[in-house]
Amino acid sequence: FKHVFHDITFMQIARGVVAYNALQKIVKPEWSHAGAVKRLISPEGDPREIPQPGREQLALWLRYMEISACCYGMPYQCVLGVVPYTQYHWSSEAILTSRTFVKKENIIHAKWEADGYASPGFLVLEDVENQTLLMVLAGTKDTSDWMTDLRCAHVVLPEEFRRDTDEVIGVHAGIWAAALNVDEQSREIVQKAREEHPGWKLLLCGHSLGAGTSAMLGFRWKKLNVFPDLHVISYAGPPLFSSLDFIEQTKSYITTLEISDDFVSRWCMGSCVDGVHAGYALEKGGVTFPRAS
């Protein structure tokens, strides 16, 4: 937005956005399954079909959420309050093996750090108990990841991925780029791991940016028939596709778990425009702008 606002600093914009956030209406979250169903009542009065997960399913989701959290590595575990600062000197691998079921010999590949724009870290792991190969994508950790997040304008999905529809589909530009890069970096690693573990399931998961990248990569591999039997668990992922009809087609292999009114998973380009305009208005004294979303 630097080309739009010439009379305000980045720090002032940030301060204004924080102030704008503080003014937002507080909504009491409904954490229960019944509360979620109530929120999804259609205008006709019929709730959408949302199956009640059993204890085993919930335990599996929690198991892989812990892995997704550990994929942030150190020192983020300390910053987020997951581990005490007395363990600040621990390695990312040590945190992973001490907090989860993963042992050192279960780590097939580990890329803990992003290596530039649209190139997040990822892990390939063995879940021996569930006979599952895990590919875990890291969430936002540094400025290059933030650039991936914030490039949220849509790009048109290539035709080879939407042959069953005439609709023009837009996808999150930064996360689509991340999926392309991670595909190039990881496909041979995953293919070799599958050959060494015949009969094992393949599961992709991640939190936030990792959720979006895992879902987009899973979609890409599914459409290209690279790993047609994969499944994805997306924890608090951002919006990816512009078409609800198209999203419906992914429900058989992408499970998305959102937390109450988490703003990140509902963020889009219009949200960016509205937030910055509101921050500018608060800092500069009541200037108003039309809503973009």
Side-chain angles (χ1 to χ4, degrees):
F1 296 96
K2 187 176 180 181
H3 64 289
V4 178
F5 303 117
H6 302 287
D7 58 342
I8 193 168
T9 67
F10 287 124
M11 185 58 69
Q12 286 177 302
I13 282 287
R15 192 168 59 193
V17 169
V18 170
Y20 173 62
N21 182 62
L23 295 173
Q24 298 307 291
K25 180 182 177 182
I26 298 175
V27 179
K28 182 180 179 181
E30 296 186 68
W31 301 99
S32 67
H33 172 73
V37 171
K38 189 169 74 174
R39 291 291 186 90
L40 293 174
I41 297 294
S42 70
E44 292 76 25
D46 297 322
R48 303 179 192 177
E49 293 184 6
I50 304 178
Q52 175 70 53
R55 289 182 177 274
E56 290 186 3
Q57 182 66 73
L58 289 172
L60 198 66
W61 288 345
L62 178 60
R63 181 184 183 88
Y64 296 140
M65 178 61 227
E66 290 175 341
I67 293 286
S68 298
C70 285
C71 197
Y72 281 92
M74 290 290 282
Y76 301 91
Q77 303 300 312
C78 290
V79 173
L80 296 172
V82 178
V83 298
Y85 276 95
T86 54
Q87 297 179 4
Y88 189 86
H89 62 287
W90 286 26
S91 67
S92 298
E93 182 180 295
I95 292 294
L96 175 67
T97 55
S98 66
R99 290 189 51 81
T100 72
F101 62 87
V102 177
K103 300 177 181 177
K104 189 171 183 177
E105 57 267 27
N106 300 136
I107 302 174
I108 297 172
H109 181 85
K111 176 196 169 193
W112 288 104
E113 303 299 330
D115 52 11
Y117 164 73
S119 187
F122 65 90
L123 308 175
V124 181
L125 310 169
E126 295 174 324
D127 180 359
V128 178
E129 181 180 340
N130 291 294
Q131 298 278 283
T132 299
L133 286 171
L134 293 177
M135 182 169 178
V136 191
L137 280 298
T140 303
K141 297 173 63 175
D142 60 22
T143 52
S144 62
D145 291 328
W146 277 108
M147 293 302 295
T148 306
D149 292 330
L150 294 175
R151 191 187 167 207
C152 51
H154 281 159
V155 294
V156 176
L157 187 68
E159 187 175 353
E160 62 182 307
F161 295 97
R162 49 184 174 87
R163 289 173 178 163
D164 50 353
T165 180
D166 294 329
E167 186 177 3
V168 176
I169 311 296
V171 295
H172 187 297
I175 293 179
W176 176 251
L180 291 175
N181 287 335
V182 175
D183 183 1
E184 182 178 342
Q185 296 168 13
S186 68
R187 189 187 297 194
E188 289 186 6
I189 296 168
V190 175
Q191 185 63 62
K192 181 180 178 182
R194 297 213 75 184
E195 292 170 357
E196 295 173 350
H197 300 78
W200 281 36
K201 299 183 287 290
L202 175 61
L203 179 75
L204 279 62
C205 64
H207 173 263
S208 191
L209 172 59
T213 307
S214 63
M216 194 74 83
L217 180 61
F219 162 79
R220 178 179 173 81
W221 281 349
K222 192 85 170 181
K223 284 290 186 179
L224 294 176
N225 204 35
V226 177
F227 304 115
D229 56 342
L230 62 79
H231 194 86
V232 178
I233 301 179
S234 168
Y235 298 99
L240 300 178
F241 301 101
S242 64
S243 166
L244 287 176
D245 290 337
F246 200 74
I247 291 171
E248 284 289 321
Q249 299 176 26
T250 68
K251 287 174 65 175
S252 62
Y253 64 94
I254 298 179
T255 300
T256 302
L257 303 175
E258 306 293 354
I259 303 171
S260 184
D261 295 308
D262 178 9
F263 83 93
V264 173
S265 57
R266 293 159 178 83
W267 198 259
C268 62
M269 190 61 187
S271 306
C272 292
V273 173
D274 288 343
V276 172
H277 280 168
Y280 180 92
L282 285 169
E283 277 294 309
K284 300 300 287 187
V287 183
T288 60
F289 294 89
R291 285 179 57 85
S293 60

